[in-house]
């Protein structure tokens, strides 16, 4: 089955950014920035984005482009013979499902709060009334499950339409509206009376605050945020490398996605901190910052109902962009592994995601006695801990080793696929497929690039010759040992 591609470069950038942009940008980033010293933390975070986040994103894109598949098959196709890198695919796929097990619940909360704010349900409520509103919601599993199901069904419906007509078309509109809403809200926030103190906290570094919080703790928090905000380590980004046209530079695209993601995170700080300082709100309030503190701020703001509705609309867009992108990845797992249709993959996964998301909902009410990480913790905290503190950093390091180690894909191959554009048949992969089908053993096959429609070349460090013919309908490759007097040919035809 021919693999879909994006219809435009803008679509690729916005959808890849949509996967990275989410609650990690608009809630977690302001929260931990406030907790770890403001502007000084931002500088450390930006450093880690540059030295770790950006390079690993390029590596994920490269693995996706080279394998032309999701994490479900990418390591199988690129790993050296006899190695076990492909074992990680199960952890990568599990990470995507784990993320959705709590992300869809929070997406349901945001959608409900958008409706509540638009309907004026918070009008006239004081701080305790708004707090009780959120507390009552947590004790209503039925409403939360219904909202979660709406989010899951809507986002999978978009994915079922297809990559270009569904995911790309709708996400482009959603992301552009998100950026416009954020700019409007940021301008409104920085013009509030008393916003100057919040801007100073956010923009003027004070490393004494870093020392107070603990230097190593701040460093680890900044590094963790750089992985979390870009959704690195579980193949959520690699899948988009498999869709992008080969004429595009992966480093350039990764820079665009990272810059856009960082701009959204920084813009969220311009929304949150001036408003918090203007209304004497604690900026380290955590989850309550969105659902308890900010609705109270909007109640005291002129035109607050309108601003509050816009805020929760933009929060919903941020969450939905990530959900749609990860759902697209989950659908690719099914189509890559089983060859089933997109609609069949959607049908099975709607049921699976809804069932897997129920424990997160019940953790706030019927299962509230279960405190996996200590008193006051919930199922959501456990799921977030497994993903954010384990799978994301471990997976990121694995991609780094896979792309740089001679025991993995190798730095030479990584640089080749990253630096060269055009139609690049993967001869190493085809040689391995030939070995499996013929039983003839051969040495490690390096990459070979056909620069002309018809070309012949010797695979480096082997006794194998490859002849390739590229045409509009696909690529035909003949592989045979040069030392054989007779030709033992194996032809692989497909759209590479």
């Amino acid at each position: 089955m021919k693999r879909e591609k994006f219809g435009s470069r803008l679509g690729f950038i916005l959808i890849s950014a949509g996967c990275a942009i989410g609650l990690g940008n608009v809630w977690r980033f302001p929260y931990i920035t406030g907790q770890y010293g403001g502007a000084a933390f931002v500088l450390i975070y930006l450093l880690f984005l540059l030295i770790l986040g950006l390079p690993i994103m390029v590596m994920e894109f490269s693995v996706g482009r080279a394998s032309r598949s999701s994490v479900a098959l990418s390591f199988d196709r690129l790993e050296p013979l006899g190695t076990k890198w492909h074992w990680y695919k199960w952890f990568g796929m599990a990470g995507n499902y784990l993320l959705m097990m709590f992300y869809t619940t929070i997406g349901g909360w945001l959608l409900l709060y958008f409706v509540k704010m638009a309907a004026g349900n918070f009008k006239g409520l004081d701080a305790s009334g708004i707090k009780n509103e959120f507390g009552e919601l947590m004790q209503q599993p039925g409403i939360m499950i219904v909202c979660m199901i709406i989010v899951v069904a809507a986002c999978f419906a978009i994915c079922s339409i297809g990559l270009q007509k569904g995911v790309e078309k709708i996400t482009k509109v959603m992301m552009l509206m998100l950026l416009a809403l954020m700019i409007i809200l940021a301008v409104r926030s920085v013009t509030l009376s008393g916003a100057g103190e919040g801007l100073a906290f956010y923009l003027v570094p004070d490393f004494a605050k870093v020392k107070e919080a603990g230097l190593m703790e701040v460093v680890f928090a900044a590094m963790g945020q750089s992985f979390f905000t870009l959704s690195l380590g579980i193949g959520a980004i690699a899948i988009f490398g498999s869709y992008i046209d080969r004429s595009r530079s992966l480093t350039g695209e990764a820079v665009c996605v990272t810059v856009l993601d960082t701009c959204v995170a920084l813009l969220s700080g311009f929304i949150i901190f001036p408003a918090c300082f203007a209304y004497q709100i604690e900026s380290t309030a955590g989850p309550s910052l969105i659902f308890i503190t900010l609705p109270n701020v909007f109640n005291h703001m002129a035109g607050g109902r309108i601003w509050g509705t816009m805020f929760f609309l933009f929060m919903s867009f941020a969450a939905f962009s990530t959900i749609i992108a990860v759902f697209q990845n989950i659908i690719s797992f099914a189509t890559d592994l089983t060859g089933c249709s997109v609609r069949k993959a959607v049908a099975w996964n709607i049921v699976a995601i809804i069932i897997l998301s129920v424990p997160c909902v019940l953790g706030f009410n019927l299962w509230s006695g279960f405190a996996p990480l200590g008193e006051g913790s919930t199922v959501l905290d456990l799921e977030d801990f497994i993903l954010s503190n384990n799978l994301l950093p471990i997976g990121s390091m694995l991609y780094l080793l896979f792309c740089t180690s001679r025991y993995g894909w190798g730095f030479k191959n990584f640089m080749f696929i990253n630096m060269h554009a055009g139609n690049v048949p993967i001869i190493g992969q085809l040689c391995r497929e030939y070995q499996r089908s013929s039983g003839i053993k051969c040495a490690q096959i390096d990459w070979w690039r056909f620069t002309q429609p018809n070309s012949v070349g010797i695979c480096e460090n082997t006794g194998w010759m490859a002849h390739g013919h590229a045409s509009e309908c696909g690529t035909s490759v003949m592989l045979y040992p040069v030392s054989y007097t007779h030709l033992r040919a194996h032809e692989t035809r497909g759209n590479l």
Side-chain angles (χ1 to χ4, degrees):
M1 182 171 61
K2 185 176 181 180
R3 196 165 190 83
E4 286 189 277
K5 293 183 179 180
F6 288 108
S8 65
R9 185 190 181 204
L10 178 63
F12 166 77
I13 292 173
L14 290 179
I15 294 171
S16 300
C19 182
I21 294 169
L23 299 180
N25 299 74
V26 297
W27 165 66
R28 195 171 188 268
F29 174 73
Y31 159 60
I32 64 171
T33 297
Q35 186 176 13
Y36 291 113
F41 172 84
V42 174
L43 290 178
I44 299 173
Y45 161 71
L46 292 176
L47 176 63
F48 276 114
L49 274 183
L50 182 64
I51 64 176
L52 280 179
L54 179 59
I56 292 175
M57 176 173 279
V58 176
M59 291 174 185
E60 281 210 34
F61 277 152
S62 298
V63 169
R65 168 183 273 184
S67 65
R68 278 305 197 215
S69 69
S70 67
V71 70
L73 287 179
S74 57
F75 289 103
D76 297 76
R77 292 181 174 179
L78 301 180
E79 66 181 7
L81 286 171
T83 58
K84 306 298 182 183
W85 293 93
H86 63 276
W87 285 3
Y88 182 71
K89 68 182 178 184
W90 304 111
F91 296 95
M93 289 189 291
N96 283 266
Y97 280 99
L98 187 60
L99 177 61
M100 292 297 97
M101 285 166 64
F102 64 87
Y103 222 97
T104 52
T105 298
I106 300 175
W109 295 351
L110 293 169
L111 183 63
L112 182 60
Y113 262 63
F114 163 67
V115 174
K116 283 177 173 286
M117 186 64 73
N121 290 1
F122 298 111
K123 187 176 181 179
L125 296 179
D126 57 13
S128 62
I130 294 174
K131 184 177 181 179
N132 290 336
E133 190 81 13
F134 184 68
E136 289 174 3
L137 173 63
M138 295 298 99
Q139 299 306 313
Q140 296 177 304
I143 293 178
M144 288 198 289
I145 289 176
V146 168
C147 292
M148 177 266 290
I149 291 175
I150 292 173
V151 170
V152 172
C155 293
F156 265 125
I158 292 171
C159 293
S160 69
I161 301 173
L163 184 68
Q164 288 189 20
K165 295 180 180 179
V167 177
E168 181 175 357
K169 185 176 181 179
I170 294 173
T171 303
K172 279 201 300 188
V173 175
M174 187 182 297
M175 290 301 297
L176 292 173
M177 289 182 66
L178 167 62
L179 294 173
L181 283 171
M182 289 195 73
I183 292 172
I184 293 171
L185 286 168
V187 171
R188 178 66 183 114
S189 186
V190 299
T191 55
L192 291 171
S193 177
E197 190 177 349
L199 288 173
F201 173 81
Y202 188 46
L203 298 177
V204 180
D206 184 355
F207 288 96
K209 293 180 180 179
V210 173
K211 187 177 180 180
E212 290 175 8
L215 177 60
M216 293 309 298
E217 187 174 347
V218 172
V219 168
F220 283 125
M223 182 174 62
Q225 177 65 14
S226 69
F227 292 141
F228 187 90
T229 190
L230 294 176
S231 301
L232 298 175
I234 55 174
I237 288 294
I239 183 64
F240 298 110
S242 74
Y243 292 129
I244 189 174
D245 189 88
R246 292 190 186 277
S247 63
R248 300 297 181 187
S249 165
L250 293 180
T251 300
E253 306 302 80
V255 168
C256 289
V257 172
T258 303
V259 168
L260 185 55
D261 176 83
T262 304
C263 287
V264 169
L266 296 177
L267 269 176
S268 69
F270 282 107
I271 295 171
I272 299 294
F273 292 114
C276 286
F277 278 83
Y279 291 98
Q280 303 300 310
I281 300 298
E282 178 57 56
S283 61
T284 60
S288 63
L289 187 64
I290 291 178
F291 298 105
I292 299 175
T293 304
L294 288 180
N296 191 45
V297 170
F298 294 132
N299 271 355
H300 292 85
M301 185 185 295
R305 181 175 169 183
I306 296 174
W307 294 112
T309 301
M310 291 177 63
F311 175 80
F312 283 107
L313 178 62
F314 115 75
M315 286 294 296
S316 297
F317 282 171
F320 295 169
S321 65
T322 298
I323 292 171
I324 291 171
V326 176
F327 278 179
Q328 182 64 30
N329 207 14
I330 288 173
I331 291 170
S332 294
F333 297 159
T335 56
D336 286 346
L337 286 175
T338 68
C340 69
S341 67
V342 169
R343 292 185 181 274
K344 188 173 182 179
V346 166
W348 280 104
N349 277 290
I350 282 181
V351 176
I353 294 294
I354 289 174
I355 294 173
L356 291 172
S357 299
V358 170
C360 178
V361 173
L362 299 183
F364 293 96
N365 35 77
L366 299 180
W367 294 357
S368 58
F370 176 58
L373 302 180
E375 186 177 354
S377 63
T378 65
V379 174
L380 187 153
D381 296 318
L382 176 62
E383 293 170 344
D384 183 44
F385 172 77
I386 295 172
L387 180 72
S388 303
N389 293 45
N390 295 276
L391 289 180
L392 293 183
I394 292 173
S396 296
M397 291 301 102
L398 187 139
Y399 269 101
L400 177 64
L401 291 173
F402 184 68
C403 291
T404 58
S405 169
R406 64 189 180 94
Y407 300 105
W409 187 32
F411 189 69
K412 178 181 177 182
N413 294 333
F414 158 68
M415 289 299 296
F416 182 83
I417 201 70
N418 180 46
M419 307 236 353
H420 293 81
N423 190 19
V424 187
I426 304 172
I427 303 307
Q429 173 190 335
L430 296 174
C431 287
R432 287 191 289 274
E433 291 176 354
Y434 174 64
Q435 172 174 311
R436 292 188 181 106
S437 64
S438 66
I440 296 177
K441 294 183 178 181
C442 62
Q444 168 79 28
I445 304 296
D446 285 338
W447 294 69
W448 186 267
R449 178 171 183 252
F450 293 109
T451 56
Q452 302 296 330
N454 289 281
S455 57
V456 176
I458 303 298
C459 295
E460 189 176 333
N461 298 326
T462 73
W464 287 70
M465 177 176 285
H467 173 268
H469 172 72
S471 65
E472 292 183 0
C473 62
T475 302
S476 174
V477 181
M478 303 282 290
L479 303 171
Y480 53 89
V482 178
S483 58
Y484 283 15
T485 55
H486 64 284
L487 297 182
R488 184 183 293 271
H490 170 69
E491 181 174 318
T492 301
R493 183 178 297 275
N495 293 291
L496 298 176

